[in-house]
Amino acid sequence: MSAYREIATLLAANTGAKRMGDVFDHFVEMAAIALRNAVDIRGSTSWEARERQYLQIAGRYGGEELNRFAHALALLTMELQRGPRDVLGLLYMELGLGNDRLGQFYTPYDVAHLMARMEIRTVIEQVERCGFADVYEPACGAGSFMIALSEVMLEHGFNPQTQLHVAAEDIAPQAMYMAYIHLTLLHIPAVVRRCNVLTLETFETWPTLAHVLGHWGQKRRMVRAANGSRRLIIASHQETTGIPADALEMKP
């Protein structure tokens, strides 16, 4: 049985009187919080707030159901250890959840992979010039483009864990959680924000463990100060966001 099917089976077993969409949301939210709180200072105000949020969700499930969630996260982790892939985005679509949510769909991975291949030359040029590619993606969804980009980088002999930094944003909490889980488990340095990319209002900021341990905030500031490099813009998203390229480049 594939990892996708096993995870879907585990989530389905937790539905009971709940809708599959709610169970999926609870799974990704709890998984993201568990990973995020491993980065934050234990006992801090933000850590405590997320811990209460986690326990509130967990309180809706019994011990056996929580074990299924833990098993599903373990399967997800092992699947991503095999290589970059958009596990949660594909799972979301295969479960038919997009049809229940006013047409909220995530980019198919083969499309994301094609987009990544179209951008790889620009990425390689920035790596060769600065030591790493600094990539920003508005309206990131589950992070399929960034996942595909990391896969294409590997195909070209580059290491996305040390030669890629990601800033990803989406206004939907569910999308933020999914992207954060993917990027964290792939050990990609990243900052994921829940943000309105039109008004530039930011509600939450979630750095991955690789970002924190790699001191990427300082590293990026040093590179920018040294050569004035600007964040790579993913041109394929400019039409969907309607934001001028200059505005995207100036984002912190």
Side-chain angles (χ1 to χ4, degrees), residues 179-231:
Y180 185 78
I181 292 168
H182 280 141
L183 293 169
T184 296
L185 294 181
L186 288 170
H187 307 291
I188 293 175
V191 176
V192 184
R193 297 184 181 92
R194 187 165 71 86
C195 174
N196 186 327
V197 298
L198 298 179
T199 66
L200 305 184
E201 182 180 7
T202 298
F203 307 103
E204 299 179 73
T205 300
W206 290 41
T208 64
L209 183 61
H211 171 90
V212 175
L213 294 181
H215 304 287
W216 276 89
Q218 179 181 2
K219 183 182 298 186
R220 292 170 66 242
R221 285 193 297 270
M222 291 175 61
V223 169
R224 285 168 180 265
N227 59 21
S229 68
R230 311 183 90 182
R231 181 174 299 157

Side-chain angles (χ1 to χ4, degrees), residues 125-141:
E125 289 173 357
Q126 194 177 38
V127 172
E128 292 173 343
R129 184 175 66 251
C130 304
F132 64 90
D134 199 6
V135 182
Y136 167 62
E137 185 182 19
C140 65

Side-chain angles (χ1 to χ4, degrees), residues 58-236:
R60 305 176 188 180
Y61 297 90
E64 186 175 350
E65 293 170 321
L66 293 175
N67 285 337
R68 292 193 191 103
F69 280 144
H71 187 189
L73 180 56
L75 290 171
L76 173 60
T77 302
M78 289 188 291
E79 185 67 10
L80 290 174
Q81 286 176 345
R82 294 174 50 198
R85 60 204 74 222
D86 182 9
V87 179
L88 294 174
L90 178 60
L91 185 63
Y92 179 91
M93 298 308 297
E94 288 193 349
L95 290 173
L97 299 180
N99 297 325
D100 298 331
R101 300 187 175 185
L102 301 177
Q104 182 177 346
F105 299 103
Y106 291 110
T107 304
Y109 191 67
D110 56 347
V111 175
H113 197 272
L114 176 61
M115 292 162 55
R117 285 187 175 278
M118 294 170 61
E119 299 283 355
I120 190 60
R121 179 47 52 190
T122 306
V123 170
I124 290 174
E125 289 173 357
Q126 194 177 38
V127 172
E128 292 173 343
R129 184 175 66 251
C130 304
F132 64 90
D134 199 6
V135 182
Y136 167 62
E137 185 182 19
C140 65
S144 61
F145 175 81
M146 295 301 182
I147 298 167
L149 182 61
S150 68
E151 183 179 8
V152 175
M153 286 183 70
L154 288 169
E155 293 171 358
H156 283 75
F158 293 89
N159 185 353
Q161 295 181 355
T162 59
Q163 295 175 301
L164 173 65
H165 185 274
V166 169
E169 297 176 343
D170 202 291
I171 195 169
Q174 178 204 68
M176 181 189 73
Y177 297 141
M178 294 165 70
Y180 185 78
I181 292 168
H182 280 141
L183 293 169
T184 296
L185 294 181
L186 288 170
H187 307 291
I188 293 175
V191 176
V192 184
R193 297 184 181 92
R194 187 165 71 86
C195 174
N196 186 327
V197 298
L198 298 179
T199 66
L200 305 184
E201 182 180 7
T202 298
F203 307 103
E204 299 179 73
T205 300
W206 290 41
T208 64
L209 183 61
H211 171 90
V212 175
L213 294 181
H215 304 287
W216 276 89
Q218 179 181 2
K219 183 182 298 186
R220 292 170 66 242
R221 285 193 297 270
M222 291 175 61
V223 169
R224 285 168 180 265
N227 59 21
S229 68
R230 311 183 90 182
R231 181 174 299 157
L232 173 68
I233 304 305
I234 305 306
S236 55

